Amino acid sequence: MAAKTRARSEMEKGKGKPLTHGAGDLPAVHVNEYNFELRNRDGFIGDKANKRAFQEILERWRKGARGNGLDPLGRKPTADLSKREIDHFLTKDKSMTAAVVWSAVEEFAHELSEVLSRFLAQESWKGTEKIIVGGGFVSSAAGALSIARAQLILGEQGNAVELIKIRHHPDDAGLVGSAHLLPRWMLKGHKAILAIDIGGTNIRVGIVLLNRNKAKNLAHAKVYKSRIWRHRDEKPSRTASVDRLAAMLTDMIAVASKKKLDLAPAVGIACPGIVEEEGSIARGAQNLPGGNWEGDHFNLPEALRKVVPKIGDHDSFFIMHNDAVVQGLSQLPFLTGVSNWGVVTIGTGLGNAHYTNKPPGNG
């Protein structure tokens, strides 16, 4: 039975409802808000707590140290330092080298806590029990320390909220979370799904093993295999990007077939910006390859469905949501007993979303 026909049949039986892109009502949670943009006189406050902000803070502390002699971090520009190199400086024997990085971590933690306190003051974030912190920055020791320090600062200010480093590797979380966009009945009988995570620098396509035999709530879901394309190095057009995405999906379908992994015909897409119900992106996609992704003139799920019309014997079905929402959803199985929670993703920007869990048994 084709995916659309099967979905319609299940909905008629009362097992489902029409699935829309960027939905606020998901199988197991309500998405209260996402991509929330707070401003002050200097611009978006989220810009004070993203990857670039940390680099600017680190550069400022380096500049101060250079006034006392040689640069303790060497000659490489701050923007070119890897997370591993920065982490190495934290534990280096030379006290000035470690002090520069520790100072940057401390200042960034204060900026992060200030941004989070602004979120927590919003009506949609009131009562937040936990904030999941994702994004590439958290996979470093400097990132983990910043998160821990920010929690202490928030606690000192009277905000008794727990900051939790995302459980999955940030590269995997944006894929694993796609499984939670779909009701469980759509996954029944399938071993895996395909997922796409689109960012301003990279695009990932992967196979997510559901492992529902181990946990119905997808607590054991994991990325089986993925491909990454660093599109920023190539600067492709939007059309070339869609073609490349289609090729990556076709490659993953072949891998799954070879390994006898029965794929659900649904593909989850995590993408920056405000996602409209019909699949267009209203705003926030300015960093995507080739530009011109925003507005109702372009519909990524539909464009992909046209070039990848089948998965196995079934018609393909694409479902898209904001990337921060999807990354946060990967944490859902580990939030038992939690009602209100949020996510922030520290990367090129500062993604954010807030959720209210539905009673157990939903989804």
Side-chain angles (χ1 to χ4, degrees):
M1 185 185 294
K4 288 183 179 178
T5 304
R6 179 168 55 210
R8 189 180 304 114
S9 174
E10 296 288 1
M11 290 172 193
E12 288 170 355
K13 293 175 185 177
K15 291 185 180 180
K17 57 187 174 181
L19 299 177
T20 60
H21 305 287
D25 186 14
L26 295 176
V29 297
H30 295 288
V31 181
N32 304 317
E33 192 165 44
Y34 71 88
N35 208 52
F36 191 51
E37 298 174 333
L38 282 171
R39 290 176 178 267
N40 60 17
R41 60 185 181 184
D42 299 320
F44 293 110
I45 67 165
D47 291 341
K48 297 171 66 177
N50 58 24
K51 179 182 175 182
R52 180 178 295 177
F54 179 79
Q55 290 174 338
E56 289 173 353
I57 292 169
L58 181 58
E59 174 60 27
R60 192 174 346 105
W61 283 102
R62 287 183 75 177
K63 185 176 180 180
R66 290 187 199 114
N68 298 319
L70 295 176
D71 189 325
L73 304 192
R75 296 184 178 181
K76 184 180 284 191
T78 300
D80 295 337
L81 291 172
S82 68
K83 287 179 286 190
R84 181 176 295 181
E85 288 172 318
I86 292 171
D87 288 349
H88 175 66
F89 292 142
L90 276 171
T91 57
K92 202 159 184 181
D93 291 340
K94 294 182 179 180
S95 58
M96 183 57 71
T97 299
V100 166
V101 181
W102 276 102
S103 297
V105 166
E106 175 70 12
E107 184 176 340
F108 183 79
H110 278 272
E111 297 288 7
L112 177 59
S113 65
E114 182 180 338
V115 171
L116 294 179
S117 67
R118 290 286 300 275
F119 280 125
L120 292 167
Q122 304 305 307
E123 188 63 35
S124 58
W125 279 68
K126 285 186 177 177
T128 299
E129 301 160 69
K130 299 180 188 293
I131 298 177
I132 311 306
V133 187
F137 185 66
V138 305
S139 61
S140 66
L145 284 167
S146 298
I147 295 165
R149 185 69 184 102
Q151 178 173 328
L152 291 175
I153 296 167
L154 285 169
E156 221 175 13
Q157 297 169 348
N159 281 316
V161 63
E162 184 180 4
L163 304 188
I164 302 173
K165 178 181 171 183
I166 201 159
R167 190 181 184 103
H168 291 278
H169 188 283
D171 293 347
D172 292 347
L175 299 174
V176 172
S178 282
H180 296 277
L181 295 174
L182 302 164
R184 299 292 177 260
W185 57 263
M186 287 190 74
L187 303 176
K188 190 175 181 180
H190 299 286
K191 291 184 177 179
I193 66 164
L194 294 174
I196 302 168
D197 186 11
I198 302 173
T201 301
N202 304 314
I203 290 177
R204 286 181 175 81
V205 176
I207 300 170
V208 177
L209 288 180
L210 301 171
N211 287 322
R212 296 185 77 242
N213 58 319
K214 296 181 179 179
K216 297 295 184 185
N217 68 350
L218 304 179
H220 291 277
K222 65 178 183 179
V223 175
Y224 172 73
K225 189 176 285 292
S226 65
R227 298 278 189 269
I228 183 171
W229 171 38
R230 188 176 170 84
H231 59 75
R232 179 166 286 185
D233 294 339
E234 300 181 26
K235 298 180 174 56
S237 67
R238 188 186 71 194
T239 299
S241 299
V242 173
D243 290 342
R244 181 66 174 267
L245 255 174
M248 294 169 78
L249 284 169
T250 301
D251 179 38
M252 289 291 100
I253 292 171
V255 170
S257 177
K258 184 177 180 181
K259 296 297 181 180
K260 302 190 185 307
L261 299 175
D262 181 25
L263 288 172
V267 182
I269 307 172
C271 187
I274 300 293
V275 178
E276 301 284 14
E277 287 188 2
E278 81 284 355
S280 64
I281 303 172
R283 67 179 187 276
Q286 60 272 11
N287 293 323
L288 297 187
N292 202 29
W293 290 58
E294 297 178 0
D296 55 13
H297 58 278
F298 177 65
N299 188 302
L300 177 61
E302 183 62 19
L304 289 173
R305 188 193 63 79
K306 287 179 180 179
V307 290
V308 185
K310 293 276 188 180
I311 296 177
D313 297 328
H314 304 302
D315 292 344
S316 59
F317 174 77
F318 290 82
I319 187 77
M320 185 165 76
H321 215 309
N322 173 265
D323 54 351
V325 170
V326 175
Q327 193 167 151
L329 288 173
S330 70
Q331 194 79 14
L332 185 58
F334 315 106
L335 293 171
T336 304
V338 176
S339 178
N340 295 302
W341 57 287
V343 64
V344 293
T345 57
I346 304 173
T348 306
L350 186 76
N352 62 84
H354 194 274
Y355 318 79
T356 300
N357 285 350
K358 293 182 178 179
N362 282 274

